């Protein structure tokens, strides 16, 4: 009976010690916040090296310096930490989707803009800087392949008129950066 009680106490003690480790993080991007673009995330530890993160980015600007810039983006990412989860260097693999009404950079000096959606598949690299026991800064950058489906419109034509000749969707595929920043993270 004493052995069973001792074993039970040991198992409960180890479980409590394991449960007190920080296994989750919530985070917000410090670089985008000053221009009112919201990028928030949640990261969950799976084991010693692996975590999963989900994040969203919302650019609520219907117009930014006269350019369309309304965008909603979401990502799921698996991360591998070389040392230990939520500490120092990591690499990640991600998939994401985006819905947008924006003016691509090459059209900034024109009256054309694009509305559509995209699917993204890529990777990232990052580093967690420990500030305190619970606070980190997550520096990261990433990119990959983006497959976009969109309609091209003239900005100042009423009723709305398309500038492209596609019957349904224009399609484009590019390799480009689509993630990055400095996330202030809180572990719990």
């Amino acid at each position: 009976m004493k052995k069973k009680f001792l074993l039970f106490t040991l198992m409960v003690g180890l479980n409590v010690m394991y449960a007190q480790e920080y296994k989750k993080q919530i985070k917000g991007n410090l670089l985008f916040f000053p221009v009112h673009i919201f990028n928030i995330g949640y990261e969950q530890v799976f084991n010693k090296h692996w975590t999963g993160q989900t994040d969203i980015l919302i650019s609520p600007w219907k117009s930014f310096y006269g350019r369309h810039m309304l965008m909603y983006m979401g990502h799921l990412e698996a991360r591998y930490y070389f040392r230990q989860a939520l500490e120092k260097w990591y690499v990640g693999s991600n998939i994401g989707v985006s819905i947008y009404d924006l003016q691509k950079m090459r059209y900034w000096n024109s009256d054309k803009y694009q509305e559509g959606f995209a699917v993204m598949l890529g990777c990232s690299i990052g580093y967690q800087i420990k500030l305190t026991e619970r606070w980190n800064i997550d520096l990261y950058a990433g990119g990959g392949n983006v497959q976009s489906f969109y309609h091209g419109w003239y900005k100042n034509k009423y009723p709305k008129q398309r500038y492209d000749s596609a019957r349904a969707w224009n399609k484009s595929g590019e390799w480009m950066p689509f993630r990055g920043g400095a996330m202030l993270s809180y572990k719990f």
Side-chain angles (χ1 to χ4, degrees):
M1 184 68 167
K2 283 184 179 180
K3 288 182 182 180
K4 288 182 181 178
F5 179 75
L6 183 61
L7 183 61
F8 175 76
T9 305
L10 181 63
M11 288 175 53
V12 168
L14 289 173
N15 192 30
V16 168
M17 286 173 39
Y18 182 71
Q20 288 178 345
E21 291 181 18
Y22 303 119
K23 297 182 183 177
K24 302 170 185 159
Q25 277 192 128
I26 54 172
K27 45 183 82 178
N29 202 324
L30 297 171
L31 299 181
F32 295 150
F33 187 73
V35 292
H36 301 279
I37 296 175
F38 306 102
N39 184 201
I40 58 172
Y42 171 80
E43 188 169 2
Q44 172 72 48
V45 174
F46 298 131
N47 60 35
K48 183 177 178 181
H49 294 285
W50 288 95
T51 69
Q53 176 169 307
T54 183
D55 59 82
I56 61 170
L57 181 138
I58 299 170
S59 172
W61 299 99
K62 289 189 179 198
S63 177
F64 194 79
Y65 290 107
R67 297 180 178 98
H68 288 239
M69 197 171 155
L70 185 65
M71 181 172 35
Y72 304 94
M73 187 183 305
H75 280 93
L76 293 174
E77 182 169 66
R79 290 181 170 182
Y80 178 82
Y81 285 82
F82 295 105
R83 183 172 178 203
Q84 182 174 330
L86 306 179
E87 289 186 18
K88 301 197 177 191
W89 289 103
Y90 65 85
V91 292
S93 177
N94 58 66
I95 186 167
V97 294
S98 174
I99 299 169
Y100 57 86
D101 174 348
L102 58 79
Q103 192 171 19
K104 292 182 180 180
M105 283 179 24
R106 70 180 184 189
Y107 293 101
W108 278 3
N109 295 321
S110 74
D111 67 341
K112 299 174 181 177
Y113 72 98
Q114 296 75 37
E115 288 179 350
F117 65 96
V119 177
M120 297 160 276
L121 184 63
C123 58
S124 60
I125 186 167
Y127 187 83
Q128 297 251 357
I129 299 170
K130 184 176 182 176
L131 300 176
T132 67
E133 189 65 29
R134 291 186 180 254
W135 292 94
N136 282 356
I137 292 184
D138 180 4
L139 302 172
Y140 67 101
N145 189 267
V146 180
Q147 296 296 316
S148 299
F149 303 85
Y150 63 93
H151 296 147
W153 301 98
Y154 287 108
K155 282 177 18 177
N156 301 317
K157 303 244 179 166
Y158 300 100
K160 272 175 98 170
Q161 293 180 11
R162 288 181 65 173
Y163 69 79
D164 53 17
S165 58
R167 287 191 174 154
W169 294 96
N170 272 318
K171 300 173 187 97
S172 68
E174 294 110 5
W175 291 90
M176 61 189 294
F178 52 75
R179 295 174 53 78
M183 296 272 220
L184 181 62
S185 306
Y186 178 75
K187 295 182 200 176
F188 61 100

